[in-house]
Amino acid sequence: MKKRLLTILLLLAAWLPAMADEGMWLPSLVADRIGAMREKGFELTEADIYSINEASMKDAVVLFGGFCTGEIVSEQGLVLTNHHCGYDAIQFHSTLEHDYLTRGFWARNRQEELPNEGLYVRILVRMEEVTDRIQAGETPKAIIAAAEREGKGYRASVEQMYYGNQQFLFVYRQYDDVRLVGAPPSSIGKFGGDTDNWIWPRHTGDFSVFRIYADENNEPAAYSPKNVPYRPKRHFKVSTEGVKEGDFTMIYGFPGNTQQYITSDAVRYVQHRSDPMKIDLRTRRLAIIGAAQEADPKVRIQYASKHANIANAWKKWQGEVLGLKRLNTVAKKEAYEAEFRTWAADKPEYAHLLDSLEAAYAAHTEAYCLQELKNETVRTIEIATLAGRLAAARRADTAPERRAELEREIEQSYKDFDPTVERALALCVLQGFADYCPAESYPAELKALIEAQGSVEAYVDHLFTTSLLRSAESWKSATEEELAADPATLLYKAVRNTQGRLPRNLSNLPAIERWYRPFMQALMCFDRERAFFPDANMTLRVSYGSIAGYEYADGEYHIPHTTIDGIIAKDNPAIYDYDIPQSLRDLYATKSYGRWATEMGGRTTVPVCFLATNHTTGGNSGSPVLNSRGELIGINFDRTWRSTMSDIEFDPTICRNIAVDIRYVLMVIDRVGGAGYLVEEMGVKL
Ligand code: ARG
Ligand code: GLU
């Protein structure tokens, strides 16, 4: 009986990887997945996805600004990404007279497209495994340098897969002249704001439009008025045919961070220590900011972006904890580890691995947690951060022009700095830090600063009544001595990070990661049925799936698309996040959708967002969502918050990514923006 059950389970396991849509696959190795993709409806070949000799889809996908994905949609280098990815650029160009954030922006011609200093895109030239070369003695540095000499604007990096078991060279061409072409009003691009963020049903038109410029030889170049639109090797054809439940979907983009292979200890840390601590600390900060925003419209605007940033991960972590609990991930991992132990017992090279990992976690978790705690508390005190930035600007080895630039940036930061709010936040995070910090780890310097004033309240008062950094003007004329003795500088020094960047996960600490390297090798021998893919690390990946709703609980089924009717139902001029532009109301009232009118559910409407089963994560924002013929059907921008445990365990029954339907994007460009020429540039007839 038991044996039969085991056989059935094994059969299921062998069958599952092909059915489930889990995984983020390296494009150069996608041949392994083509069978499974074709079963789901994909009609193209691996060479259409990735080829170094022929133009392929990879030539139309861009790393946008280093943190998001974008896609090229015309012969003239037109790029689509999310509104929240283009947000900084849109905000930068916004003034009271030209408030593009509120009213949207549409360049009427090439001359009106707006340059963005510091914004770049990268297009992958090629990727190749270099594990052997590194084993043979070449250094990553030398490999990178050689690759970067191959052409103008070449940027390379060597990235680790499977905790360093494989090394891959990624060679990109970087374009530094990327101009803003269009953005909808925030009331469309951010519709629903933080309330709807991570939520389905969703009605956000989260897109913006940019254009890549190149020199006269189509090569990367710094901004110049003489630059011309980049002519890509390949761009995505847009499909206005529409999508329906069950249709194949593929996402091509740059997912940032997953941890699929961590042990139960590491999951326990995320679920029971790290996430709950960070959620609690952010709940406290959000309460302070939220109350101040309620009370003062000026503060509401000043802290809008800060609030959104704090709230984004805060909500994601809540979903992650919920999901790990729902899936019982810790218990599953423990059972899996028990099986592994039995299997490894007679294999000396593997038998000790779980003990070694356990010991490494026991030795290093507290120190990592303390760093996370500081990052969420004392290192968020803005007045101290500003003091640290000022110290860097004033350092003897900072070139004069650079110094002026840095000081201008510091000055800019005061635009969104309210001393009363900052003071309340400083007190809040100092108390939060004390609540979680073990007495023996409390930094002596910080303790001395606070004790000198008698109490933490008195200390914060002292900080905000005497620091020269408490206002935009007072620090400018301060002498070096005054700044060195300033309480904000002393606070900065007491809490700054002296250990370099914190690895992105506990498991990526070198002392822990070294055990994952052999552990991954062992897992691949132990679990032969499993379809392994390397964890996301901001390198280009393919994930495939289909358009699908989900049943979260008994009787709670979510259909996979939304329409403009849902926007109108939420519309409310009294609530900032739901106050849509009048033009959209008018469109709806007169049903003048033009060629975008679509029959759905027995009525004439316009589709807005859809759900799919692709495995995605942060960084996939702005990724192209493609149909079975590789045509663009949407732009990825979110997951449901109940899916966010997919960074650790993917549940095919409920994990869903959220995309904005390309037909809504085109309608907004055409009907709200009046920029139909962009729609035509994408090859769509109006
Ligand atoms: N949740 C999406 C992503 O993680 C969108 C974030 C931006 N939108 C917002 N309302 N904060 O990053
Ligand atoms: N909005 C996320 C981003 O900025 C994507 C959401 C997610 O899947 O984590 O990349």
Side-chain angles (χ1 to χ4, degrees):
M1 184 63 204
K2 237 181 166 171
K3 214 163 168 190
R4 241 184 62 200
L5 191 69
L6 190 73
T7 320
I8 293 171
L9 277 176
L10 280 173
L11 275 172
L12 261 174
W15 172 77
L16 265 175
M19 288 307 291
D21 301 320
E22 179 178 355
M24 305 170 173
W25 310 94
L26 286 169
S28 64
L29 302 177
V30 82
D32 294 347
R33 308 309 309 168
I34 285 292
M37 290 172 75
R38 293 187 75 98
E39 251 166 64
K40 296 198 73 105
F42 189 54
E43 295 170 50
L44 306 177
T45 66
E46 59 259 38
D48 293 310
I49 295 174
Y50 177 91
S51 164
I52 7 184
N53 304 316
E54 307 290 328
S56 61
M57 283 187 217
K58 76 147 172 62
D59 299 305
V61 182
V62 306
L63 174 65
F64 185 88
F67 50 85
C68 273
T69 307
E71 51 276 5
I72 304 177
V73 288
S74 86
E75 284 160 12
Q76 302 288 316
L78 202 65
V79 168
L80 295 178
T81 186
N82 290 147
H83 186 265
H84 79 263
C85 298
Y87 196 83
D88 284 346
I90 304 163
Q91 179 174 45
F92 178 82
H93 293 294
S94 295
T95 58
L96 276 179
E97 304 88 74
H98 302 286
D99 187 354
Y100 301 142
L101 268 185
T102 307
R103 294 212 307 272
F105 168 74
W106 301 99
R108 300 286 131 186
N109 51 53
R110 299 280 154 77
Q111 282 67 43
E112 284 183 14
E113 297 180 355
L114 299 169
N116 301 287
E117 208 186 318
L119 179 64
Y120 66 84
V121 299
R122 286 181 176 184
I123 302 170
L124 187 70
V125 177
R126 64 169 207 277
M127 54 184 289
E128 68 191 69
E129 192 177 350
V130 293
T131 318
D132 291 347
R133 286 170 63 183
I134 288 171
Q135 240 147 41
E138 278 185 82
T139 64
K141 219 174 135 190
I143 294 175
I144 290 168
E148 290 189 342
R149 279 194 298 271
E150 283 171 24
K152 195 172 171 197
Y154 273 50
R155 297 293 155 93
S157 67
V158 170
E159 306 290 347
Q160 315 225 327
M161 304 293 161
Y162 302 115
Y163 297 92
N165 280 300
Q166 294 179 350
Q167 326 257 1
F168 275 80
L169 169 68
F170 290 82
V171 185
Y172 301 93
R173 207 174 262 137
Q174 178 169 317
Y175 293 83
D176 291 306
D177 187 353
V178 181
R179 302 188 196 169
L180 178 63
V181 174
S186 294
S187 52
I188 288 177
K190 245 189 101 130
F191 180 77
D194 282 341
T195 318
D196 282 11
N197 192 22
W198 302 108
I199 297 285
W200 184 262
R202 189 67 155 275
H203 301 87
T204 312
D206 198 343
F207 78 93
S208 57
V209 190
F210 287 79
R211 190 187 304 281
I212 308 171
Y213 279 77
D215 68 14
E216 68 277 15
N217 301 319
N218 207 30
E219 304 247 334
Y223 168 77
S224 158
K226 281 190 284 185
N227 285 349
V228 293
Y230 168 66
R231 295 181 308 282
K233 273 167 104 173
R234 168 87 181 246
H235 68 271
F236 287 113
K237 180 174 181 296
V238 169
S239 168
T240 55
E241 260 169 49
V243 292
K244 58 179 193 311
E245 185 144 24
D247 283 355
F248 174 88
T249 53
M250 169 179 146
I251 287 199
Y252 210 163
F254 290 88
N257 179 20
T258 62
Q259 314 184 67
Q260 308 290 325
Y261 307 106
I262 53 174
T263 60
S264 52
D265 284 332
V267 181
R268 219 180 278 111
Y269 173 71
V270 170
Q271 184 181 343
H272 297 293
R273 271 303 283 284
S274 174
D275 281 0
M277 173 180 85
K278 293 186 293 191
I279 293 164
D280 171 35
L281 293 165
R282 288 195 179 202
T283 303
R284 304 186 199 185
R285 284 159 74 203
L286 287 168
I288 290 172
I289 297 175
Q293 286 179 310
E294 274 310 307
D296 182 350
K298 184 170 168 230
V299 172
R300 226 184 57 78
I301 296 168
Q302 282 183 308
Y303 284 78
S305 177
K306 289 179 184 177
H307 189 283
N309 277 333
I310 299 170
N312 192 40
W314 170 77
K315 204 160 178 180
K316 179 200 152 149
W317 291 325
Q318 293 177 56
E320 187 167 69
V321 170
L322 188 80
L324 292 171
K325 200 160 134 193
R326 175 185 168 113
L327 291 181
N328 244 316
T329 305
V330 169
K332 271 193 229 156
K333 293 245 174 191
E334 279 170 348
Y336 189 72
E337 285 154 20
E339 278 180 59
F340 177 87
R341 272 184 195 280
T342 312
W343 171 84
D346 60 355
K347 300 174 184 66
E349 71 275 36
Y350 299 145
H352 66 96
L353 282 176
L354 283 172
D355 290 334
S356 300
L357 272 165
E358 234 176 86
Y361 279 112
H364 299 284
T365 299
E366 290 311 314
Y368 186 84
C369 190
L370 183 63
Q371 294 304 321
E372 285 209 288
L373 171 60
K374 286 184 179 170
N375 284 349
E376 287 295 321
T377 54
V378 288
R379 287 184 193 137
T380 67
I381 302 177
E382 181 87 355
I383 195 168
T385 310
L386 289 165
R389 285 167 59 190
L390 185 59
R394 297 267 170 99
R395 262 173 38 182
D397 58 355
T398 308
E401 320 84 74
R402 181 75 188 133
R403 174 174 306 175
E405 192 182 311
L406 290 172
E407 292 203 9
R408 230 179 313 118
E409 284 171 19
I410 294 169
E411 199 185 326
Q412 279 283 315
S413 302
Y414 282 94
K415 195 163 72 70
D416 300 334
F417 182 102
D418 178 278
T420 311
V421 178
E422 291 303 326
R423 181 190 186 135
L425 286 172
L427 181 62
C428 163
V429 296
L430 282 164
Q431 286 167 336
F433 180 63
D435 290 345
Y436 283 96
C437 184
E440 68 276 13
S441 304
Y442 200 95
E445 275 177 80
L446 181 60
K447 197 167 170 205
L449 290 176
I450 293 172
E451 278 177 359
Q453 304 302 322
S455 71
V456 64
E457 289 84 359
Y459 170 68
V460 173
D461 281 343
H462 167 72
L463 186 62
F464 280 87
T465 46
T466 62
S467 172
L468 292 167
L469 285 127
R470 70 185 185 279
S471 80
E473 292 309 316
S474 42
W475 54 269
K476 286 187 189 160
S477 54
T479 66
E480 217 171 300
E481 292 73 36
E482 284 172 328
L483 286 177
D486 191 276
T489 308
L490 301 179
L491 175 57
Y492 169 73
K493 285 189 171 157
V495 302
R496 76 184 143 176
N497 183 2
T498 50
Q499 302 167 20
R501 263 245 317 255
L502 195 65
R504 57 175 184 272
N505 305 297
L506 168 62
S507 305
N508 297 106
L509 278 175
I512 295 179
E513 210 175 59
R514 59 175 289 224
W515 297 114
Y516 272 107
R517 212 160 298 145
F519 183 59
M520 282 309 311
Q521 295 168 9
L523 274 189
M524 287 178 185
C525 299
F526 162 66
D527 197 350
R528 293 192 178 274
E529 311 298 339
R530 189 165 177 177
F532 285 89
F533 59 92
D535 274 312
N537 57 357
M538 219 61 205
T539 58
L540 191 58
R541 304 297 178 92
V542 169
S543 66
Y544 57 87
S546 54
I547 308 243
Y550 68 100
E551 182 170 347
Y552 186 76
D554 187 31
E556 190 197 324
Y557 180 73
H558 295 259
I559 64 168
H561 59 260
T562 57
T563 64
I564 196 169
D565 300 72
I567 299 181
I568 298 302
K570 284 180 183 172
D571 177 29
N572 184 343
I575 304 175
Y576 181 82
D577 286 340
Y578 295 113
D579 182 14
I580 60 171
Q582 189 55 40
S583 54
L584 204 55
R585 283 183 198 124
D586 295 344
L587 271 179
Y588 180 79
T590 55
K591 297 281 180 299
S592 48
Y593 304 142
R595 68 135 22 245
W596 311 109
T598 305
E599 291 305 313
M600 284 169 87
R603 60 181 197 275
T604 304
T605 187
V606 177
V608 175
C609 291
F610 63 82
L611 286 178
T613 61
N614 302 76
H615 195 180
T616 56
T617 189
N620 271 123
S621 274
S623 298
V625 187
L626 306 161
N627 66 14
S628 62
R629 296 181 300 279
E631 298 159 347
L632 189 70
I633 53 173
I635 309 172
N636 190 67
F637 71 97
D638 212 357
R639 272 176 293 170
T640 65
W641 71 295
R642 291 153 157 188
S643 312
T644 51
M645 75 302 192
S646 72
D647 289 352
I648 293 172
E649 184 182 352
F650 184 88
D651 176 355
T653 64
I654 63 164
C655 285
R656 298 291 179 268
N657 58 306
I658 306 176
V660 53
D661 193 300
I662 201 66
R663 293 170 291 173
Y664 182 57
V665 171
L666 297 174
M667 188 205 76
V668 169
I669 295 177
D670 173 25
R671 295 272 146 159
V672 179
Y677 65 95
L678 291 174
V679 174
E680 285 176 337
E681 184 182 331
M682 291 182 231
V684 176
K685 294 234 162 43
L686 285 175

